[in-house]
Amino acid sequence: MQYTAANFMRPVYLKNRTSNSRKDKIKFSLLRSLCRYMKRFCNTSSKLLKTSSVYICARIGQSSFKIAWGLALILSLIVTLYRIQKCFHLYWQYPIVVSLEIDKLNSLEFPAVTVCNLNRRKINITIREGIAIIGTPLILSERRHLHYCQNGTIKSDKMNEKKLNLLMEYYGLDEEERRKAGIPASEFMKSCSFNGKYCSTFLLNNFTDFRYGNCITFNKQKLGRKPLRTTEIGAGSGLIFHLNLGYAFYEDIQNTFGAKLVVHHPEKAPSPEDDGLFVSPGFETSVSLKQTIDIRLPKPYRDHCMNYGLVANGFAKSKNECIRKCIQTKSYEKCGCIDQSLGVMNHLKQCDFRNALESCCLDEVLDSMSFHGTLCNCPLPCRSVYYNEKLSRALLIPKETEFRGMETKYGTVKLNVFYSSLERLTYEQQPKWEEPELLSYIGNELALWLGLSIIAVFEIFEKIAITL
């Protein structure tokens, strides 16, 4: 027997033919199984359609116009899915509605009132250097008003240079030395009364501010004592302060006389640098109040509000403190030092404002954050209380001597802080869409376009389970 090429190819051909035959059998078996399942599915679907409580499905199973009813079903499904998709799109935008509630109360919590002298220290006070800085922070440093940077050098006049040197010396004092350097609280406040009664010393709290020196807070909330409430309205009620500014002790670099007034919630720490009103000397100033409360929603709603001061946050006690810390972080990253006038994160190296390189670097950080966005995650608080202050004033009449008249004109302030109404306005954000409303909307769409209900859906699943 001769072995030719044909002899060698024949076994391979037989092997391939056998393999193809097996594949054909598998394909035929799969097709037969698929046809069997399709037939079973059609029989099951026909039974379900004929006995379904969903009207459109029942018409497909019973009517002689099955194609028309089938097209109607497909169209209804398309419309239903479109409407549901649109509903979810609106829901994921997390829209809100704002409700207004006006409460007419018999008594209302009286706010805390903080007053500060615009003169942070008396003249002829010896300054000592080299002390760490402690105190209420500033958002915008005072040095920004005393000089500016040009081509890496500091530009200022002689008077501003003197002010800058005094500012650095003042920052070198510790809190106790700054308190002694300022006008004492006993000299600053001549008298205090609330609803016709003298103020108790327990209602007054003293602190020292970087910008305004010694300040006095009335009605600050303390442990074991609730803030005062009032049932009276109108001028003459509420809080009355008689203040002595001590204008004869103002520094020669001070350009203005007066006091800073801040009306705030008793639980909130005052920030005279950021909030408040200026009060002129020689006048009786009346401040009428009307309380308003804003309640906001946290993430994912648009304001992304934050409950500052909670132990869980552990970052900042207020929005302003959050901004200060953000500025300090950016300054330290770029300049290697911080702006000590902001009063936070003082454990880091502090910049020397008289050093052109460091001072101009701080300016560049603030300018960059102003022009290109701060990137500070400091949203609004979830609950804010406003008092909508309205000021009016009348001239105080000088008494007795001309000196007494000058003292009245430049050194005396009378303040009357009161509620004009015991109404409280509350603006509260509420979700426009909540889960029950979303489910209700989806159910309405299914019922409108397909005639479906929860009972009908349960029935369909029940029949499918029994049939299978």
Side-chain angles (χ1 to χ4, degrees), residues 27-86:
K27 289 180 180 179
F28 179 76
S29 176
L30 290 175
L31 288 174
R32 187 170 55 185
S33 300
L34 180 62
C35 292
R36 186 169 59 252
Y37 282 119
M38 288 294 294
K39 183 178 180 180
R40 186 176 179 183
F41 174 77
C42 291
N43 293 334
T44 303
S45 300
S46 178
K47 292 179 182 179
L48 289 176
L49 290 174
K50 290 179 180 179
T51 60
S52 175
S53 61
V54 180
Y55 182 77
I56 192 171
C57 295
R59 296 304 301 164
I60 293 174
Q62 300 173 3
S63 175
S64 58
F65 300 96
K66 291 182 173 58
I67 296 177
W69 281 104
L71 292 175
L73 175 61
I74 294 173
L75 181 63
S76 298
L77 282 173
I78 293 173
V79 175
T80 301
L81 292 175
Y82 170 76
R83 297 285 297 178
I84 292 176
Q85 179 271 336
K86 189 175 181 180

Side-chain angles (χ1 to χ4, degrees), residues 72 77 79 123 136-137 161 188 287 402 464:
L77 282 173
V79 175
I123 59 174
T136 305
E161 288 180 4
F188 179 41
V287 185
E402 183 180 355
I464 291 175

Side-chain angles (χ1 to χ4, degrees), residues 93-101 292-307 379-384 386 425-434 437:
Q93 289 182 350
Y94 299 104
I96 62 170
V97 293
V98 179
S99 65
L100 170 61
E101 182 178 353
T292 300
I293 300 176
D294 284 351
I295 301 175
R296 305 176 182 88
L297 291 172
K299 287 182 178 182
Y301 299 95
R302 65 181 186 185
D303 282 344
H304 293 186
C305 74
M306 180 179 294
N307 289 309
L380 293 168
C382 292
R383 189 176 189 274
S384 300
Y386 305 100
L425 278 65
T426 303
Y427 295 91
E428 183 175 3
Q429 294 181 356
Q430 297 175 345
K432 186 176 181 179
W433 294 88
E434 294 188 10
E437 294 172 331

Side-chain angles (χ1 to χ4, degrees), residues 225-270:
R225 184 183 67 81
K226 295 182 178 180
L228 295 175
R229 302 183 69 86
T230 183
T231 58
E232 301 180 18
I233 60 173
S237 65
L239 178 66
I240 297 178
F241 276 154
H242 285 87
L243 305 176
N244 175 27
L245 299 179
Y247 82 101
F249 299 101
Y250 266 56
E251 293 181 298
D252 56 355
I253 63 171
Q254 194 70 34
N255 297 321
T256 55
F257 297 111
K260 190 69 178 290
L261 169 70
V262 183
V263 180
H264 54 97
H265 192 268
E267 296 180 357
K268 180 183 176 182

Side-chain angles (χ1 to χ4, degrees), residues 43 61 72 88 94 104 171 183 200 254 257 265 298 344 365 437:
N43 293 334
F88 273 103
Y94 299 104
K104 296 183 178 180
Y171 287 156
I183 297 177
S200 169
Q254 194 70 34
F257 297 111
H265 192 268
V344 295
V365 171
E437 294 172 331

